[in-house]
Amino acid sequence: MWARILALIVKEFLAVLRDAASRTVLIGPPLIQLMVFGYAASFDLNHIPYAVYNEDTGYAARELLARFAGSATFEQIATITREAQIAPLIDDKQALLVLHVPQHFTRDLLTQAPAQLQIIIDGRDSNTASLALNDVSGVLLDFNQQWAGTHGNQGPPARLDIRAWFNPNLLSRWFIVPGIVALLTLVVTLLVTGLSVAREREMGTFDQLLVTPMGPFEILVGKAVPGFVIGGLEGGFIALMAVWWFKVPFVGSIAALALGLFFFLLAAIGIGLMISSLAVTQQQGLLGVFMFLVPSIILSGFATPIANMPEAVQLLTYFNPMRYFLIIVRGVFLQGDSVHMLLPQYGPLALIGLASMAAAAWLFRHRMA
């Protein structure tokens, strides 16, 4: 019995290792995902972009701000002189936070009165905002310890006054649930389209399609429409659940979300049909979907900020449709974005969709020939 089992084991190993496609699946995807996870999936914050709004000319304010300037964790990108300059910096994601030193900060410290340091932070990504606030608290703690040791303060000399924009309580649900709209829509659409042509080949019905009066374009459209319908219904249902069940605020335009969803589905269906055109069996199609899905989620900013990734990896994210749709869906939910405000995201997403559909059509004709 054991000899027969051993012979079968050897046979299975030889079958896997002798097949070029199997060797590629064993070696290629793990290496690609190792590199993606190793470099892109990081919760460390480096060079946090911040702006300074300093209304105090005293030496205590200068000493505190010098600690931020001298820290390797923070990178000052602007110095502002009036409150109206704060909103554009945070809205456009130029700065993650603004340090506001009030007018009498030094005087309050010297008189041992409560001295407030105001932090205005972008709360759209609650995880990143929380990590950044921890770093700010660390710098302020060091400042407080030194000031208290020098001047003999009994309590904390300076205290944080935190204002988180777009997500006042920094609820992670407000950040994660809108992202799930993009994630699950991509998963469902890729599975529906990524297996469609491969299923026909595996079941032997693909040849029957070829002898029908339908041309390649008609067959491709017929394969694409169900993905649009199912993906659109899935995305709409999840968006409704996000508002109704999870109580995530929806303050933007429904038209802006619908337009973004249309372009996103166009890109996802094009990629799914490319995978399905290349796959011979459903198993190969499923592996192809998995190979694309995991890196696209990691490189989208769904869980970890794109700004934390190495520059070479950040360049790859520009080819990822989920990157743009995440900005759209979170902007519509939390920021109140309109169609006009999201035009910079619609353009690249539409280009990816058209390019992927064109590539899928070429591959489909090529495989039919």
Side-chain angles (χ1 to χ4, degrees):
M1 181 186 68
W2 292 111
R4 292 193 299 270
I5 292 175
L6 179 61
L8 181 60
I9 291 172
V10 172
K11 178 256 182 189
E12 290 298 320
F13 271 113
L14 290 176
V16 170
L17 297 177
R18 285 175 178 174
D19 181 45
S22 298
R23 291 198 303 269
T24 303
V25 169
L26 288 174
I27 298 172
L31 287 177
I32 294 171
Q33 292 172 25
L34 172 63
M35 299 300 291
V36 170
F37 275 94
Y39 284 104
S42 172
F43 289 100
D44 297 328
L45 289 181
N46 301 313
H47 309 294
I48 299 171
Y50 74 99
V52 173
Y53 178 28
N54 184 15
E55 295 185 291
D56 184 20
T57 58
Y59 74 95
R62 293 194 298 271
E63 181 180 338
L64 176 61
L65 294 176
R67 289 177 176 269
F68 285 95
S71 171
T73 307
F74 295 90
E75 180 180 358
Q76 183 175 345
I77 55 97
T79 299
I80 60 180
T81 56
R82 60 184 187 275
E83 188 174 348
Q85 295 174 296
I86 297 176
L89 288 173
I90 294 184
D91 289 348
D92 298 337
K93 294 189 175 182
Q94 299 178 46
L96 177 61
L97 57 89
V98 175
L99 301 177
H100 177 206
V101 183
Q103 187 174 3
H104 302 299
F105 182 77
T106 301
R107 186 194 67 182
D108 292 339
L109 286 175
L110 292 173
T111 59
Q112 297 195 5
Q116 298 289 339
L117 173 67
Q118 187 178 53
I119 304 296
I120 304 166
I121 193 165
D122 183 353
R124 283 170 288 195
D125 185 340
S126 57
N127 296 334
T128 301
S130 299
L131 292 172
L133 287 176
N134 289 337
D135 292 329
V136 172
S137 299
V139 174
L140 187 62
L141 178 62
D142 291 339
F143 172 81
N144 280 340
Q145 289 176 343
Q146 181 178 352
W147 186 274
T150 304
H151 298 83
N153 291 66
Q154 297 298 319
R159 300 173 184 174
L160 281 179
D161 177 20
I162 301 170
R163 291 177 58 194
W165 285 9
F166 308 115
N167 189 351
N169 297 317
L170 293 180
L171 297 175
S172 59
R173 182 181 298 170
W174 287 19
F175 170 70
I176 293 174
V177 173
I180 293 177
V181 177
L183 174 61
L184 294 184
T185 301
L186 181 64
V187 170
V188 171
T189 306
L190 283 178
L191 287 176
V192 170
T193 56
L195 302 180
S196 59
V197 179
R199 186 188 308 111
E200 298 278 2
R201 287 199 179 98
E202 192 171 8
M203 296 177 63
T205 56
F206 188 69
D207 292 336
Q208 297 177 14
L209 280 177
L210 299 183
V211 298
T212 62
M214 291 188 297
F217 176 77
E218 295 171 300
I219 297 175
L220 195 68
V221 171
K223 296 291 185 182
V225 170
F228 262 109
V229 175
I230 295 173
L233 291 175
E234 183 82 17
F237 173 75
I238 300 169
L240 286 174
M241 289 295 293
V243 176
W244 178 69
W245 184 263
F246 293 102
K247 308 300 181 183
V248 179
F250 187 96
V251 295
S253 165
I254 296 178
L257 179 61
L259 186 59
L261 181 61
F262 172 81
F263 288 130
F264 182 60
L265 288 173
L266 184 69
I269 289 169
I271 294 168
L273 289 175
M274 287 172 58
I275 295 171
S276 192
S277 298
L278 292 170
V280 177
T281 64
Q282 292 188 73
Q283 184 181 14
Q284 290 181 3
L286 192 61
L287 286 172
V289 169
F290 178 75
M291 284 178 60
F292 175 80
L293 191 61
V294 175
S296 67
I297 294 171
I298 298 299
L299 296 176
S300 66
F302 174 77
T304 57
I306 294 176
N308 289 359
M309 304 175 188
E311 292 185 5
V313 178
Q314 290 186 37
L315 293 176
L316 293 177
T317 65
Y318 290 106
F319 300 96
N320 183 9
M322 190 172 170
R323 168 199 170 113
Y324 303 101
F325 189 57
L326 273 180
I327 296 174
I328 292 170
V329 71
R330 285 171 175 162
V332 169
F333 268 88
L334 301 180
Q335 295 174 231
D337 287 351
S338 61
V339 172
H340 176 74
M341 298 170 66
L342 292 170
L343 288 178
Q345 312 304 324
Y346 293 140
L349 195 54
L351 287 176
I352 294 173
L354 292 175
S356 62
M357 289 297 293
W362 183 87
L363 285 171
F364 191 72
R365 292 191 183 95
H366 179 71
R367 298 284 287 182
M368 286 180 63

